[in-house]
């Protein structure tokens, strides 16, 4: 049964993007692995299954609930928790994450306690602050933290990592990556402990990867946006050869009428407490789509039909200018999503999720314009 609104995702395109990233890493001068980051798809079981079926043995997510879903699908898939663990969730972290990214001694202590209680080892990657000002310890404090970690019986210090272009917008450079590689050397020298993983960053590192400028020693990257959107996140450019339309949001038209573009009467606030501003388009053809702010941030959608323009929204209604189109009641309209609107759509219980493939869409005009 057709259930709308829905996110449809194209398995062929997703698999192509994954294979493309594999190939980019294979071509890199020094060995480097990429870990798929599934947070934007909110732990969607079909997508996780698809990635695992292609041979993926390692997935990362920022939510422990999503790591739990991954483990339920494949117990042997390694999981990495991207957001720093909360102290209150330490037990679940040890249960469902094989590796976590950490920056606080108190948290490491708690992970140690829980791992000890459960009789397991927990692996950690210590995040280093290299300019972006989100998570991470200052490099100058690493040796002290390292000494503490090495005393914990159930904590395995796997490596160090950094995350850029998330808060401060700092773009990864060869210099910053060399800094990270040098920190690894220093740890190995001063603490006589070898670090297996140096995790260099997220999709903002792709320009460096494509130019083969990731220095020796950086052997892991964590990729979400580039996998699902074929886009690097340093400059926001589409990556040639990758698909940026893996996902499409579809919803139904529930009213089409010629109406004025300016409301009549005394104007107060709209549904969100804002006094709206209107552009006078005269009498024009308007459509209402059964989709609203409760489903996705509507301003982060783009109608696939370029003649259609989004003019407003409330919690459950999306209002379009459909002048010059043959839009009718019952039509299913498609919208391109960006990272933010996909994140919301995948999280919403009102938005259905449907896997499809390129072939299935061909010849079904109602669904493709
Ligand atoms: C979200 C996240 C990533 C993936 O970022 P993309 O830009 O989607 O590739 C990597 N690492 C951490 C720590 C993250 O939070």
């Amino acid at each position: 049964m057709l259930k709308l609104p829905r996110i449809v995702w194209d398995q062929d395109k997703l698999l192509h993007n994954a294979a493309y990233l594999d190939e980019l890493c294979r071509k890199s001068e020094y060995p480097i692995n990429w870990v798929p980051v599934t947070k934007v798809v909110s732990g969607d079981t079909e997508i996780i299954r698809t990635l695992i079926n292609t041979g993926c043995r390692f997935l990362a997510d920022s939510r422990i609930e999503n790591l739990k879903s991954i483990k339920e699908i494949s117990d042997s898939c390694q999981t990495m928790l991207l957001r720093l663990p909360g102290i209150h969730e330490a037990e679940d972290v040890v249960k469902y994450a094989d590796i976590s990214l950490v920056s606080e001694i108190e948290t490491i202590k708690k992970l140690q306690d829980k791992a000890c209680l459960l009789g397991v080892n927990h692996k950690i990657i210590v995040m280093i602050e290299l300019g972006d000002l989100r998570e991470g310890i200052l490099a100058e404090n690493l040796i002290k933290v390292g000494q503490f970690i090495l005393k914990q019986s159930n904590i395995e210090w796997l490596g160090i990592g950094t995350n850029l272009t998330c808060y401060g917008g700092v773009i990864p450079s060869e210099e910053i990556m060399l800094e990270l590689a040098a920190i690894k050397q220093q740890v190995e020298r001063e603490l006589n402990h070898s670090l297996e993983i140096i995790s260099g960053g997220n999709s903002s590192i792709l320009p460096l990867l494509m130019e083969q400028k990731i220095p020796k020693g950086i052997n892991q990257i964590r990729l979400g946006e580039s996998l699902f959107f074929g886009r690097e996140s340093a400059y926001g450019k589409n990556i040639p050869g990758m698909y940026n339309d893996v996902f499409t949001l579809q919803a139904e038209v529930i009213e089409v009428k010629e109406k004025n573009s300016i409301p009549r009467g005394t104007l107060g606030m709209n549904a969100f407490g804002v006094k709206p501003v209107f552009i006078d388009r005269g009498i024009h053809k308007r459509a209402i789509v059964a989709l609203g702010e409760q489903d996705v941030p509507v301003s982060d959608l783009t109608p696939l039909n370029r003649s259609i323009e989004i003019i407003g929204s409330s919690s459950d209604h999306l209002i379009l200018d459909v002048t010059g189109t043959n839009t009718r009641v019952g039509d299913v309209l498609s919208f391109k999503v960006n990272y933010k609107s996909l994140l919301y759509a995948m999280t919403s219980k009102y938005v259905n999720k449907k896997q499809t493939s390129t072939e299935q869409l061909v010849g079904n005009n109602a669904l493709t314009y």
Side-chain angles (χ1 to χ4, degrees), residues 37 39 62 82-83 101 127 134-135 162-163 166 201-204 222-226 233 339:
V37 171
K39 67 190 183 204
S62 49
L82 295 172
R83 186 167 68 181
L101 307 184
M127 295 303 274
R134 205 178 74 177
E135 72 271 47
T162 195
N163 194 59
C166 262
N202 54 43
S203 295
S204 68
R222 313 172 302 268
L223 304 179
E225 184 158 357
S226 46
S233 53
Y339 193 91

Side-chain angles (χ1 to χ4, degrees), residues 143-172:
I143 296 298
K144 232 175 61 204
V145 172
Q147 283 162 343
F148 174 82
I149 295 170
L150 293 175
K151 284 192 216 129
Q152 311 305 312
S153 55
N154 296 63
I155 297 290
E156 190 181 323
W157 189 9
L158 194 63
I160 53 173
T162 195
N163 194 59
L164 301 169
T165 344
C166 262
Y167 169 73
V170 173
I171 291 174

